[in-house]
Amino acid sequence: MVRRRGRRRIAHGALMTRPVVVSAYPLSPAFANWDPAVEHEVLCGLTELPGVAALEVPWIDGIHPHDSAWFLANAPAVALALTPLPFVMRRLATPGYGIASTDADGRRAAIADLRRVAADAAEIGEHSAAHVAVVELHTAPRGEADADALARSLAELGELDWSGARLVIEHCDAHVPGQTPEKGFLPLHGEIEAIRASGADVGLWMNWGRSAIELRDPDAVAEQIAAAANSGLLDALVLSGASDREGPYSGPWIDAHHPFASLDSDAESLLTDDRLHAAVRAAGDAPSLGLKVSRRPDATTAAEVLRVAERHLQVLSGAAP
């Protein structure tokens, strides 16, 4: 039986009829080079942009990658989506690690880490102005993920106290034989199967760029998004670009959160406005949208990156009025 709990909802933004979650860390110059003043200006500035209802922030072995005490004292009063994916990618060096692992020790280790995420979500809610509305899950290990193992993990995770946060599986590029993966996690159909088998109250997030990396065909992404929507589990569609060639953001098929093609002609991004519109249509009535794009490599000030976010939100509002 699916366990239903009362959950904080991400409030609607003013620009669009659906709330938008903006990923803060690919935009912030302070993510790689710690600068508390810049980080504060970016976080607060993003929350003030029309349509922004929540921020995605990383969990990397703790509440903040540089200064957790600073974050608790300075986080704006906003809903947060907490993603441990950067931490999971580091942990892939441990054989068998992941919530979809058939290796008992690896699966237990991944669940233990998520217990720490749950504890930190509670601390954020208790000791900061922000609150965690969403916690993202990722179906490691690379190339060996198993739907039955994932279902067991989801059932266990569904019993934890998440302080009102919604659990979602963020679909990343799946393992494809003969193809070098970025993540190489469980296929979408396996994630859907596991959610249904687990009985846990878990949704799905889709990311345009990560689906493009998996499929190697940008025109096929909308079909995969539609499959997620048709499952009835899709909570959010995140708009993030990808590229099939070398460029200023990355090499081909690297998960570098490329911008929209119409906003940076140098980026070699495959996420054109037509594909953006097709993706939003395919997502149907998914409750939320997301924006996850990187700042330009030469953008080093808060004002510059806030302008990047604002321009992307304007394009997104045209695709999802």
Side-chain angles (χ1 to χ4, degrees):
M1 179 178 295
V2 174
R3 296 172 59 87
R4 299 288 178 184
R5 295 184 174 91
R7 297 187 184 274
R8 290 171 170 151
R9 296 294 180 183
I10 296 176
H12 286 255
L15 184 64
M16 287 174 277
T17 58
R18 282 182 278 191
V20 179
V21 183
V22 174
S23 189
Y25 66 100
L27 284 165
S28 177
F31 177 66
N33 300 299
W34 179 228
D35 185 324
V38 171
E39 180 85 333
H40 188 264
E41 190 174 353
V42 168
L43 293 178
C44 292
L46 288 174
T47 66
E48 294 169 0
L49 293 178
V52 176
L55 300 180
E56 184 192 43
V57 295
W59 187 92
I60 308 178
D61 207 17
I63 289 172
H64 190 272
H66 298 289
D67 191 334
S68 293
W70 177 92
F71 184 83
L72 291 173
N74 290 277
V78 67
L80 300 176
L82 207 57
T83 174
L85 182 58
F87 178 77
V88 170
M89 295 307 294
R90 294 181 184 182
R91 293 283 273 145
L92 292 183
T94 303
Y97 177 87
I99 60 171
S101 180
T102 57
D103 180 272
D105 290 339
R107 194 173 71 84
R108 278 195 295 267
I111 290 175
D113 286 334
L114 285 166
R115 289 181 185 273
R116 295 168 56 213
V117 174
D120 283 346
E123 186 170 0
I124 289 169
E126 292 170 5
H127 299 293
S128 81
H131 70 274
V132 178
V134 174
V135 172
E136 299 167 38
L137 308 175
H138 303 91
T139 60
R142 174 177 286 154
E144 299 175 342
D146 178 80
D148 290 337
L150 176 60
R152 292 193 295 274
S153 294
L154 294 179
E156 293 179 44
L157 294 169
E159 296 296 325
L160 300 183
D161 182 359
W162 293 96
S163 304
R166 168 77 165 163
L167 294 180
V168 300
I169 289 175
E170 183 187 33
H171 178 66
C172 299
D173 66 287
H175 173 71
V176 177
Q179 181 171 293
T180 301
E182 265 287 82
K183 307 296 187 290
F185 294 164
L186 197 64
L188 178 62
H189 65 82
E191 293 169 341
I192 292 171
E193 173 189 322
I195 291 172
R196 289 174 172 160
S198 72
D201 187 11
V202 177
L204 276 174
W205 274 26
M206 297 299 292
N207 178 302
W208 193 95
R210 289 171 178 163
S211 290
I213 290 168
E214 172 186 333
L215 300 170
R216 298 293 201 265
D217 179 356
D219 292 321
V221 173
E223 184 177 346
Q224 188 178 71
I225 293 167
N230 290 338
S231 74
L233 297 170
L234 183 61
D235 278 12
L237 166 64
V238 178
L239 284 310
S240 183
S243 181
D244 60 354
R245 61 197 66 192
E246 193 74 32
Y249 290 83
S250 77
W253 304 123
I254 299 299
D255 189 17
H257 319 303
H258 289 67
F260 299 170
S262 62
L263 294 179
D264 189 340
S265 58
D266 295 330
E268 304 289 355
S269 178
L270 296 167
L271 184 50
T272 63
D273 287 358
D274 284 346
R275 289 170 179 150
L276 171 62
H277 283 253
V280 172
R281 287 195 300 270
D285 60 356
S288 301
L289 296 172
L291 174 67
K292 188 166 190 169
V293 294
S294 294
R295 64 184 176 88
R296 284 187 59 89
D298 58 357
T300 59
T301 69
E304 287 173 318
V305 300
L306 291 172
R307 179 57 180 155
V308 169
E310 183 177 32
R311 292 174 67 212
H312 280 79
L313 288 167
Q314 289 169 349
V315 173
L316 184 54
S317 70

